[in-house]
Amino acid sequence: MKSVARQIEESLARGPIHFTLIDPDKTRGPHAGEVAREAEKMGSFGILLGGSTGITPELMGAAARSVHKESSLPVIIFPQGPESLTPDADAILFMSLLNSRNVQHVIRLQALASLYVKKLGLETLPVGYLIVAPGMKVGEVGEADCIERSDLLGAKGYALAAQFLGMKLLYLEAGSGAPAPVPGEMIRELKRTVSVPLLIGGGIRTAADAAGVLEAGADGIITGSIAEEDGHRALAPIVEEVRRRRAG
Ligand code: 1GP
């Protein structure tokens, strides 16, 4: 089977992509499969599995199996720590939270998890992860020095450092449930600075939010809460914004 990295690369060549984030603690077992089935119909690229609290390998495994049963979308772990690992996923965002104050989130948890990741045979996608204010729960849990929303220079420094370190994707997020997504001006500035694809998440709740980040240059958008709280119908216009910017 084609690697997930290859699938992402090929899909990005045709335009931006959408990821549906499922929190397996909130959307349990069979419900994860239902969300994935609907997301696939809409044209979402893949499923990210993860959450900031309450994650266990059992919950992750059950959700991954349910997604595989109901859809053909790739299942990618969005890790909170070693307890997020399951052999039932296809790949893992192997990420460093670059603007954390705590070295655990920058490299130590990754060092702990890496032997197990290898043993499970999970495909690793190297990601530089940056939290932009307000950061919400993940900002707290990740002990992030959130990048201020007007600090374009700070964001550029981290983004370039990630690229120079060889990370293949950058993920900038304002935190789940943020009142507004990452500012368009910051996305535009980063697109002028780095060549790695830019994923944007946190606080994207409407088609207008999605249009804003996509017009600024986001290569991928990630939404979580909207499908959890408001169901598939609320997700559809967001995915549609992504789809209509894609070729073919
Ligand atoms: C995942 O924070 C994003 O990293 C998801 O954010 O729940 O606001 O879509 P929302």
Side-chain angles (χ1 to χ4, degrees):
M1 211 182 90
K2 218 181 263 181
S3 71
V4 175
R6 188 72 193 277
Q7 292 177 49
I8 293 176
E9 193 187 324
E10 287 181 3
S11 199
L12 283 176
R14 296 198 300 277
I17 57 180
H18 174 267
F19 293 89
T20 303
L21 173 68
I22 296 176
D23 180 339
D25 186 35
K26 295 187 183 139
T27 305
R28 296 217 171 191
H31 298 302
E34 286 162 29
V35 173
R37 193 176 58 223
E38 293 304 317
E40 182 169 30
K41 273 193 228 157
M42 288 171 206
S44 189
F45 168 83
I47 300 297
L48 295 180
L49 278 188
S52 300
T53 53
I55 297 302
T56 65
E58 292 72 27
L59 282 177
M60 291 290 287
R65 290 191 296 278
S66 160
V67 171
H68 276 142
K69 186 160 166 260
E70 298 295 334
S71 79
S72 59
L73 298 181
V75 177
I76 305 167
I77 298 170
F78 178 22
Q80 196 258 324
E83 61 279 14
S84 304
L85 300 178
T86 169
D88 295 307
D90 301 301
I92 177 168
L93 298 182
F94 203 81
M95 55 211 296
S96 171
L97 177 42
L98 297 171
N99 59 330
S100 176
R101 293 182 294 282
N102 186 340
V103 73
Q104 288 283 74
H105 301 292
V106 181
I107 189 61
R108 288 210 180 139
L109 287 171
Q110 294 82 341
L112 268 180
S114 61
L115 293 174
Y116 195 40
V117 167
K118 186 168 167 63
K119 191 167 160 201
L120 297 181
L122 283 168
E123 179 187 344
T124 49
L125 305 169
V127 179
Y129 185 30
L130 291 173
I131 300 184
V132 176
M136 312 303 282
K137 187 79 189 168
V138 73
E140 275 173 44
V141 175
E143 296 167 71
D145 278 336
C146 294
I147 300 174
E148 291 308 324
R149 298 175 68 82
S150 58
D151 185 10
L152 303 186
L153 210 59
K156 275 165 68 169
Y158 275 118
L160 262 182
Q163 177 169 309
F164 293 161
L165 283 164
M167 290 160 174
K168 300 290 185 224
L169 294 166
L170 262 175
Y171 180 26
L172 251 80
E173 81 151 305
S176 181
V182 171
E185 204 192 340
M186 186 176 280
I187 299 169
R188 266 184 212 98
E189 192 65 24
L190 293 189
K191 284 305 286 178
R192 283 194 283 265
T193 310
V194 293
S195 54
V196 269
L198 221 53
L199 309 181
I200 304 292
I204 300 171
R205 305 191 69 89
T206 64
D209 291 336
V213 297
L214 290 164
E215 270 150 34
D219 298 286
I221 66 171
I222 297 167
T223 61
S225 313
I226 191 73
E228 249 158 36
E229 290 163 16
D230 304 334
H232 316 133
R233 259 187 286 278
L235 181 61
I238 294 176
V239 182
E240 187 48 33
E241 281 298 321
V242 177
R243 255 168 53 124
R244 63 195 192 82
R245 286 170 171 80
R246 293 180 57 75

